[in-house]
Amino acid sequence: MSNHFTINYKGNKTDILSKIRMSIGKGLVSGNELGGSFRGYRLAGEFEGSYTIAGNRITINISKKPFLVSYNRIKRGFEKALRNKL
């Protein structure tokens, strides 16, 4: 099952990409300021997906997530990471 969501952000694309990398933690982010993919690990398990950046919006597609973690929780995690200062 796959799910996606879009988040509006303030700031430049380089900062947003850095925040995505930080939110993934010990995972892998490949891509650039237009789009890419990621794979991350948390205590609950592995998650992966892709992202696209257009204007001041980032769309995140989650293609794999831990069974016990909701899509809403993942979305809140990304929103929190994008609000944090570098």
Side-chain angles (χ1 to χ4, degrees):
M1 178 179 223
S2 177
N3 194 12
H4 69 275
F5 49 89
T6 300
I7 301 171
N8 292 323
Y9 67 87
K10 296 179 182 177
N12 66 53
K13 290 181 181 180
T14 303
D15 289 346
I16 296 303
L17 191 55
S18 295
K19 290 178 181 184
I20 290 172
R21 286 193 169 102
M22 288 180 4
S23 71
I24 299 302
K26 292 185 176 182
L28 172 68
V29 177
S30 60
N32 58 32
E33 295 170 355
L34 298 176
S37 61
F38 57 85
R39 183 179 336 144
Y41 308 92
R42 297 286 184 215
L43 292 175
E46 182 178 349
F47 62 95
E48 60 185 56
S50 60
Y51 69 92
T52 56
I53 300 174
N56 65 343
R57 294 175 158 232
I58 180 167
T59 300
I60 298 172
N61 180 53
I62 304 297
S63 55
K64 180 179 179 181
K65 70 170 191 64
F67 177 73
L68 297 175
V69 179
S70 71
Y71 288 109
N72 258 351
R73 185 170 177 201
I74 294 171
K75 180 180 178 185
R76 286 191 310 266
F78 274 100
E79 288 172 334
K80 181 179 177 182
L82 293 174
R83 281 193 310 266
N84 290 338
K85 293 187 179 191
L86 291 175

